[in-house]
Short mmCIF file of all heavy atoms in Angstrom, two decimals:
data_model
loop_
_atom_site.label_atom_id
_atom_site.label_comp_id
_atom_site.label_asym_id
_atom_site.label_seq_id
_atom_site.Cartn_x
_atom_site.Cartn_y
_atom_site.Cartn_z
N ALA K 101 -86.82 -108.29 -217.11
CA ALA K 101 -86.40 -108.60 -215.74
C ALA K 101 -85.31 -109.66 -215.83
O ALA K 101 -85.39 -110.53 -216.69
CB ALA K 101 -87.58 -109.14 -214.94
N GLN K 104 -86.03 -113.46 -216.23
CA GLN K 104 -86.82 -113.82 -217.40
C GLN K 104 -86.01 -113.83 -218.69
O GLN K 104 -86.43 -114.42 -219.68
CB GLN K 104 -88.01 -112.86 -217.53
CG GLN K 104 -88.98 -113.02 -216.37
CD GLN K 104 -90.15 -112.05 -216.45
OE1 GLN K 104 -90.09 -110.97 -215.90
NE2 GLN K 104 -91.21 -112.43 -217.14
N ARG K 153 -85.58 -100.50 -219.36
CA ARG K 153 -85.71 -100.91 -217.95
C ARG K 153 -85.21 -102.35 -217.84
O ARG K 153 -85.71 -103.24 -218.52
CB ARG K 153 -87.17 -100.84 -217.50
CG ARG K 153 -87.38 -101.42 -216.11
CD ARG K 153 -88.83 -101.37 -215.61
NE ARG K 153 -88.93 -102.03 -214.33
CZ ARG K 153 -89.88 -102.91 -214.00
NH1 ARG K 153 -90.85 -103.20 -214.84
NH2 ARG K 153 -89.87 -103.48 -212.82
N HIS K 196 -86.83 -108.09 -208.77
CA HIS K 196 -87.97 -108.40 -209.64
C HIS K 196 -88.36 -109.86 -209.40
O HIS K 196 -87.96 -110.77 -210.13
CB HIS K 196 -87.59 -108.16 -211.11
CG HIS K 196 -88.78 -108.11 -212.03
ND1 HIS K 196 -89.03 -107.05 -212.88
CD2 HIS K 196 -89.79 -108.98 -212.24
CE1 HIS K 196 -90.14 -107.28 -213.58
NE2 HIS K 196 -90.61 -108.46 -213.21
N PHE K 197 -89.10 -110.10 -208.35
CA PHE K 197 -89.66 -111.40 -207.93
C PHE K 197 -88.64 -112.40 -207.38
O PHE K 197 -89.00 -113.22 -206.56
CB PHE K 197 -90.44 -112.09 -209.07
CG PHE K 197 -91.70 -111.39 -209.50
CD1 PHE K 197 -92.26 -111.64 -210.75
CD2 PHE K 197 -92.35 -110.48 -208.67
CE1 PHE K 197 -93.42 -111.01 -211.17
CE2 PHE K 197 -93.53 -109.84 -209.07
CZ PHE K 197 -94.06 -110.11 -210.33
N ASN K 239 -90.21 -104.82 -207.69
CA ASN K 239 -91.24 -104.95 -208.72
C ASN K 239 -92.49 -105.61 -208.17
O ASN K 239 -92.40 -106.68 -207.54
CB ASN K 239 -90.70 -105.81 -209.87
CG ASN K 239 -91.73 -105.98 -210.97
OD1 ASN K 239 -92.01 -105.05 -211.72
ND2 ASN K 239 -92.34 -107.15 -211.08
N GLU K 240 -93.63 -105.02 -208.40
CA GLU K 240 -94.94 -105.60 -208.07
C GLU K 240 -94.95 -106.33 -206.72
O GLU K 240 -95.13 -107.55 -206.66
CB GLU K 240 -95.40 -106.54 -209.18
CG GLU K 240 -95.71 -105.82 -210.47
CD GLU K 240 -96.43 -106.70 -211.50
OE1 GLU K 240 -96.54 -107.92 -211.31
OE2 GLU K 240 -96.89 -106.13 -212.51
N MET K 243 -97.78 -108.72 -206.27
CA MET K 243 -97.67 -110.07 -206.84
C MET K 243 -96.63 -110.88 -206.07
O MET K 243 -96.82 -112.06 -205.82
CB MET K 243 -97.24 -110.00 -208.31
CG MET K 243 -98.30 -109.46 -209.23
SD MET K 243 -99.72 -110.59 -209.30
CE MET K 243 -101.02 -109.40 -209.38
N THR K 267 -99.00 -114.71 -212.56
CA THR K 267 -99.11 -113.86 -213.75
C THR K 267 -99.86 -114.53 -214.90
O THR K 267 -100.15 -113.89 -215.89
CB THR K 267 -97.73 -113.38 -214.27
OG1 THR K 267 -97.02 -114.49 -214.81
CG2 THR K 267 -96.91 -112.71 -213.19
N VAL K 268 -100.14 -115.83 -214.77
CA VAL K 268 -100.87 -116.51 -215.85
C VAL K 268 -102.13 -117.14 -215.26
O VAL K 268 -102.05 -117.92 -214.31
CB VAL K 268 -99.98 -117.60 -216.51
CG1 VAL K 268 -100.74 -118.33 -217.61
CG2 VAL K 268 -98.70 -116.99 -217.06
N THR K 309 -92.78 -100.45 -208.15
CA THR K 309 -93.78 -100.61 -209.20
C THR K 309 -94.91 -101.48 -208.67
O THR K 309 -94.68 -102.38 -207.85
CB THR K 309 -93.18 -101.28 -210.45
OG1 THR K 309 -92.96 -102.67 -210.19
CG2 THR K 309 -91.86 -100.63 -210.87
N ALA K 311 -98.56 -103.79 -209.53
CA ALA K 311 -99.45 -104.42 -210.53
C ALA K 311 -100.80 -103.74 -210.40
O ALA K 311 -101.53 -103.94 -209.42
CB ALA K 311 -99.58 -105.91 -210.25
N GLN K 349 -98.02 -100.62 -213.74
CA GLN K 349 -97.89 -101.79 -214.61
C GLN K 349 -99.29 -102.31 -214.89
O GLN K 349 -100.00 -102.73 -213.99
CB GLN K 349 -97.02 -102.84 -213.93
CG GLN K 349 -95.78 -102.19 -213.31
CD GLN K 349 -94.53 -103.05 -213.24
OE1 GLN K 349 -93.45 -102.51 -213.46
NE2 GLN K 349 -94.64 -104.31 -212.96
N TYR K 351 -102.08 -104.36 -217.61
CA TYR K 351 -102.29 -105.30 -218.72
C TYR K 351 -103.77 -105.46 -219.06
O TYR K 351 -104.14 -105.54 -220.21
CB TYR K 351 -101.72 -106.69 -218.36
CG TYR K 351 -100.21 -106.66 -218.26
CD1 TYR K 351 -99.57 -106.36 -217.06
CD2 TYR K 351 -99.44 -106.87 -219.39
CE1 TYR K 351 -98.19 -106.30 -216.99
CE2 TYR K 351 -98.06 -106.81 -219.33
CZ TYR K 351 -97.44 -106.53 -218.13
OH TYR K 351 -96.08 -106.45 -218.08
N THR K 373 -102.12 -115.12 -221.67
CA THR K 373 -102.08 -115.38 -220.22
C THR K 373 -103.50 -115.57 -219.67
O THR K 373 -103.69 -115.66 -218.47
CB THR K 373 -101.42 -114.22 -219.43
OG1 THR K 373 -102.14 -113.01 -219.71
CG2 THR K 373 -99.97 -114.04 -219.77
N GLU K 402 -94.53 -100.96 -217.04
CA GLU K 402 -94.91 -102.13 -217.86
C GLU K 402 -96.31 -101.90 -218.42
O GLU K 402 -97.21 -101.45 -217.71
CB GLU K 402 -94.95 -103.42 -217.03
CG GLU K 402 -93.61 -103.91 -216.56
CD GLU K 402 -93.68 -105.25 -215.83
OE1 GLU K 402 -94.67 -106.01 -215.99
OE2 GLU K 402 -92.74 -105.53 -215.06
N TRP K 440 -93.79 -103.67 -221.95
CA TRP K 440 -93.42 -105.04 -221.59
C TRP K 440 -93.82 -105.91 -222.75
O TRP K 440 -94.98 -106.03 -223.04
CB TRP K 440 -94.13 -105.51 -220.30
CG TRP K 440 -93.60 -106.86 -219.92
CD1 TRP K 440 -94.06 -108.08 -220.32
CD2 TRP K 440 -92.47 -107.13 -219.07
NE1 TRP K 440 -93.30 -109.09 -219.81
CE2 TRP K 440 -92.31 -108.52 -219.04
CE3 TRP K 440 -91.56 -106.33 -218.37
CZ2 TRP K 440 -91.29 -109.15 -218.32
CZ3 TRP K 440 -90.56 -106.96 -217.65
CH2 TRP K 440 -90.43 -108.35 -217.62
N ASN K 445 -89.89 -113.78 -223.60
CA ASN K 445 -89.05 -114.28 -222.50
C ASN K 445 -89.78 -115.29 -221.65
O ASN K 445 -90.89 -115.73 -221.97
CB ASN K 445 -88.53 -113.09 -221.69
CG ASN K 445 -89.64 -112.29 -221.03
OD1 ASN K 445 -90.60 -112.86 -220.51
ND2 ASN K 445 -89.53 -110.98 -221.07
N PHE K 446 -89.14 -115.66 -220.54
CA PHE K 446 -89.66 -116.70 -219.64
C PHE K 446 -90.75 -116.10 -218.76
O PHE K 446 -90.45 -115.29 -217.88
CB PHE K 446 -88.49 -117.22 -218.79
CG PHE K 446 -88.90 -118.26 -217.79
CD1 PHE K 446 -89.34 -119.52 -218.20
CD2 PHE K 446 -88.85 -118.00 -216.42
CE1 PHE K 446 -89.71 -120.49 -217.27
CE2 PHE K 446 -89.21 -118.96 -215.48
CZ PHE K 446 -89.64 -120.20 -215.92
N GLU K 447 -91.98 -116.50 -219.03
CA GLU K 447 -93.10 -115.92 -218.28
C GLU K 447 -93.37 -116.78 -217.03
O GLU K 447 -94.37 -117.47 -216.92
CB GLU K 447 -94.34 -115.79 -219.19
CG GLU K 447 -95.60 -115.25 -218.54
CD GLU K 447 -95.45 -113.86 -217.92
OE1 GLU K 447 -94.63 -113.06 -218.41
OE2 GLU K 447 -96.16 -113.59 -216.94
N TRP K 448 -92.45 -116.74 -216.10
CA TRP K 448 -92.63 -117.37 -214.78
C TRP K 448 -93.27 -118.76 -214.85
O TRP K 448 -94.43 -118.92 -214.46
CB TRP K 448 -93.42 -116.42 -213.87
CG TRP K 448 -92.79 -115.06 -213.82
CD1 TRP K 448 -93.28 -113.91 -214.38
CD2 TRP K 448 -91.52 -114.72 -213.24
NE1 TRP K 448 -92.39 -112.88 -214.18
CE2 TRP K 448 -91.29 -113.35 -213.49
CE3 TRP K 448 -90.54 -115.45 -212.55
CZ2 TRP K 448 -90.15 -112.69 -213.05
CZ3 TRP K 448 -89.39 -114.78 -212.12
CH2 TRP K 448 -89.22 -113.43 -212.36
N PHE K 455 -94.66 -111.75 -225.03
CA PHE K 455 -94.95 -110.32 -224.85
C PHE K 455 -93.98 -109.44 -225.66
O PHE K 455 -94.07 -108.22 -225.58
CB PHE K 455 -94.75 -109.93 -223.39
CG PHE K 455 -95.83 -110.37 -222.43
CD1 PHE K 455 -95.78 -111.60 -221.79
CD2 PHE K 455 -96.90 -109.52 -222.13
CE1 PHE K 455 -96.75 -111.98 -220.87
CE2 PHE K 455 -97.88 -109.90 -221.22
CZ PHE K 455 -97.80 -111.12 -220.59
C1 LIG G 1108 -94.30 -108.79 -214.18
C2 LIG G 1108 -93.51 -109.38 -215.32
C3 LIG G 1108 -94.41 -110.30 -216.12
C4 LIG G 1108 -95.50 -109.46 -216.71
C5 LIG G 1108 -96.45 -110.21 -217.64
C6 LIG G 1108 -95.72 -108.47 -214.49
O1 LIG G 1108 -96.50 -109.13 -213.56
O2 LIG G 1108 -93.62 -107.72 -213.59
O3 LIG G 1108 -92.40 -110.02 -214.79
O4 LIG G 1108 -93.72 -111.03 -217.07
O5 LIG G 1108 -96.26 -108.87 -215.70
O6 LIG G 1108 -97.24 -111.13 -216.98
#
Side-chain angles (χ1 to χ4, degrees):
Q104 294 178 268
R153 173 181 176 226
H196 195 125
F197 294 159
N239 180 72
E240 293 191 351
M243 290 294 143
T267 69
V268 179
T309 74
Q349 315 210 142
Y351 293 89
T373 57
E402 291 184 20
W440 186 272
N445 62 41
F446 178 68
E447 178 59 30
W448 307 110
F455 285 89

